[in-house]
Amino acid sequence: MPQQPIPVSPGTHAELTHNVTDADTAEAVGSGDLPVLGTPRLLALAEAATVRALAGHLGADRTSVGTRVSLEHLLPTPVGGTVTVRAEVVYADGRLVRFSVVAEDAARRLVGQGEVTRVVVDRERFLARVPSADA
């Protein structure tokens, strides 16, 4: 049975604010050796904002998975700094949803920007296709 398209359209958005800790640094996540917000953490925050934007639009039997990311990390953020990430739907077609993501620091300077694409899936069907770890 085909899945129903999700009821979101361009303009649907969400944001989250995160205070950078030692656990978020490039040093801690292994993406460098500096005590500033690591790019993998910025990416995780961007994806979390896209998930938040879809929250409430999917039934309990559906979720979304990331399929493509393009991210520019433009400005370092120190431990103790704040980053606000906004994700906004710029394209939705059937199960595919594309987001623009923008991250700013407390002074509203551009920390990062990019695009995240997610696809809505049926939870059970998706998990049934996951190969075993021993395969």
Side-chain angles (χ1 to χ4, degrees):
M1 139 173 44
Q3 291 186 352
Q4 297 297 316
I6 59 169
V8 297
S9 57
T12 300
H13 66 277
E15 70 178 40
L16 61 85
T17 299
H18 181 77
N19 296 314
V20 178
T21 69
D22 288 326
D24 300 314
T25 65
E27 208 170 30
V29 300
S31 66
D33 59 6
L34 297 173
V36 296
L37 177 65
T39 303
R41 283 298 292 138
L42 180 59
L43 172 57
L45 293 169
E47 285 207 279
T50 65
V51 169
R52 183 175 287 184
L54 292 176
H57 295 284
L58 307 178
D61 60 333
R62 297 195 294 173
T63 190
S64 66
V65 294
T67 60
R68 180 177 289 240
V69 176
S70 172
L71 181 69
E72 293 179 284
H73 194 167
L74 304 166
L75 184 71
T77 307
V79 170
T82 300
V83 175
T84 299
V85 180
R86 178 181 171 91
E88 182 173 335
V89 174
V90 294
Y91 179 81
D93 184 17
R95 299 182 311 124
L96 185 136
V97 185
R98 190 169 302 128
F99 294 87
S100 168
V101 292
V102 175
E104 295 178 330
D105 65 12
R108 299 194 51 95
R109 292 177 295 217
L110 186 62
V111 170
Q113 65 185 3
E115 190 173 88
V116 176
T117 301
R118 300 188 72 79
V119 173
V120 175
V121 298
D122 176 276
R123 287 175 188 274
E124 286 185 28
R125 232 181 315 179
F126 184 84
L127 290 174
R129 292 180 38 222
V130 176
S132 70
D134 299 334

